[in-house]
Amino acid sequence: MNGLKSFDIRALLEVLMSCNVSLSADKLGCTQSYLSRTIAIAEKRFNASIFYRDTRPIRPTEFGRNLIPLLRACEEGNNNLIQFIEHHNKNPAGNVRIYSPSGIQAFVSRNILIPLNQLHPDIIFNLQTVSHTLNDRRFGTLFDDECDILISYIQPRDTNLISRKIVSLDMNIYASDFYHQKAVFQRPDELCEKDFILLAPLLTKDNTNVIMIKNINTNEYFNINVKGKFIFDNAYTALQLCRSGYGYLLASSLMIQDFPEIKPRLPDHFQIKQDYFITYRQKAYLPDRVKESIDYIVRFPFTSP
């Protein structure tokens, strides 16, 4: 009510009902001087007298008497609001919205959603696909207003968000037997001359994908720039074209495991790793169901399949 705190509304209502500042102070657990200041501040804001000052005990003015039902309505509204907030934050049921790129959703489903469902069967987990852009890679990804938890290989643009690495997944260069037989390579640098099915989130200004590869024997890293005639923003759609023999594809084993006709093609002493991060808002403002989901993800010792 016009900037008054919840306790001030309750205090005014208590004094109006009892007409006794001393008894009201004892009941509310505050000092009489605090109540006197509260009344004076309210009268100044309302530009009207709430009590007659020349009577003992004090008694409310007509304005003060008319104020009683309004104060009661305000107190009830505040109590309902507090109960709603507590129910929303403490309620074990409800939605937790997890956003991630399509290429990691198999990992999220098997390693995060299923265990979380077993721990919290009342929670509804809503997995949404997020498609990153070149600007996301350059400046950091945006965090959707509807998102509770983001799991991605790109950290956020907003420095007020919390972002932590949770896993580093093994990747490889995959292809069907049909395509690999007509585009065989001996060294990874030869892939620069082969056709790739490109991923839009990894796209450079030159319409290429840059892939960082590690030589396990020498512990050296190098980048290869690969090109292609097809660009997809969904890794699973790209996978269908790879099955049909239209090029090589950078992917994780989790995506490929249900497609035996697509095989990893890098020699064993070469390795590709992709770090993934969990991003979320400050936990102090999150519902308990989201906090518990975050705690599980952060604490679980994920390993690359």
Side-chain angles (χ1 to χ4, degrees):
M1 176 179 283
N2 200 24
L4 289 178
K5 299 177 182 177
S6 296
F7 185 79
D8 295 339
I9 292 172
R10 182 184 171 198
L12 285 174
L13 187 57
E14 184 62 39
V15 178
L16 279 166
M17 297 303 297
S18 69
C19 295
N20 190 309
V21 175
S22 177
L23 289 177
S24 297
D26 290 341
K27 185 174 181 179
L28 294 168
C30 63
T31 64
Q32 294 183 45
S33 60
Y34 177 87
L35 288 182
S36 297
R37 286 196 304 272
T38 299
I39 293 170
I41 291 170
E43 290 180 330
K44 184 176 181 180
R45 287 181 179 174
F46 299 155
N47 194 28
S49 296
I50 299 174
F51 296 97
Y52 291 113
R53 296 291 196 275
D54 56 354
T55 62
R56 289 294 182 270
I58 61 173
R59 60 188 179 90
T61 63
E62 181 181 4
F63 175 80
R65 291 193 301 272
N66 292 332
L67 202 58
I68 291 174
L70 298 176
L71 290 172
R72 282 178 174 158
C74 284
E75 184 178 39
E76 182 180 358
N78 285 337
N79 290 338
N80 290 340
L81 177 61
I82 291 170
Q83 290 175 8
F84 167 77
I85 292 171
E86 289 180 349
H87 176 76
H88 177 268
N89 289 342
K90 299 295 183 183
N91 186 8
N95 285 289
V96 172
R97 294 156 299 193
I98 300 176
Y99 284 40
S100 71
S102 59
I104 194 180
Q105 287 187 345
F107 176 85
V108 172
S109 297
R110 293 168 182 163
N111 294 275
I112 294 176
L113 297 190
I114 292 176
L116 276 174
N117 173 254
Q118 293 170 347
L119 288 171
H120 306 287
D122 293 329
I123 297 177
I124 298 172
F125 295 99
N126 186 345
L127 183 60
Q128 298 281 334
T129 301
V130 58
S131 297
H132 291 306
T133 65
L134 178 59
N135 279 341
D136 290 336
R137 291 186 62 83
R138 292 177 61 190
F139 305 113
T141 185
L142 298 175
F143 194 87
D144 193 278
D145 290 341
E146 297 298 317
C147 177
D148 293 316
I149 298 170
L150 172 67
I151 298 174
S152 174
Y153 51 88
I154 300 179
Q155 293 184 276
R157 195 174 305 185
D158 185 349
T159 57
N160 292 317
L161 297 169
I162 310 299
S163 186
R164 302 173 63 170
K165 177 182 170 181
I166 57 170
V167 69
S168 185
L169 294 182
D170 288 325
M171 311 287 285
N172 210 307
I173 306 298
Y174 289 87
S176 65
D177 288 338
F178 171 78
Y179 183 77
H180 183 59
Q181 288 167 6
K182 70 176 186 178
V184 175
F185 66 94
Q186 301 299 325
R187 303 185 315 275
D189 60 286
E190 296 174 21
L191 288 168
C192 297
E193 304 304 321
K194 312 299 181 184
D195 283 331
F196 263 73
I197 301 162
L198 302 177
L199 300 174
L202 304 181
L203 207 62
T204 69
K205 291 181 178 179
D206 300 323
N207 281 340
T208 64
N209 281 176
V210 178
I211 303 173
M212 178 181 287
I213 301 177
K214 178 182 179 181
N215 186 323
I216 299 174
N217 292 340
T218 64
N219 209 32
E220 294 177 329
Y221 290 86
F222 57 95
N223 290 331
I224 59 170
N225 243 2
V226 298
K227 59 185 184 300
K229 299 181 178 66
F230 300 97
I231 301 171
F232 290 91
D233 66 356
N234 186 299
Y236 285 100
T237 309
L239 179 61
Q240 301 305 317
L241 211 62
C242 183
R243 293 177 66 191
S244 300
Y246 282 89
Y248 287 106
L249 176 67
L250 173 67
S252 71
S253 59
L254 275 171
M255 288 179 56
I256 308 299
Q257 60 187 8
D258 296 328
F259 302 94
E261 68 271 30
I262 303 176
K263 300 181 179 67
R265 303 302 178 176
L266 275 181
D268 291 340
H269 62 285
F270 291 102
Q271 181 186 71
I272 303 173
K273 287 280 190 180
Q274 179 66 68
D275 292 338
Y276 283 89
F277 305 87
I278 178 174
T279 298
Y280 50 91
R281 297 180 181 88
Q282 298 288 338
K283 289 173 66 177
Y285 306 107
L286 299 178
D288 285 358
R289 60 184 176 275
V290 178
K291 292 179 185 177
E292 291 167 1
S293 300
I294 291 169
D295 288 342
Y296 171 82
I297 297 170
V298 168
R299 293 172 184 171
F300 192 84
F302 297 111
T303 56
S304 182

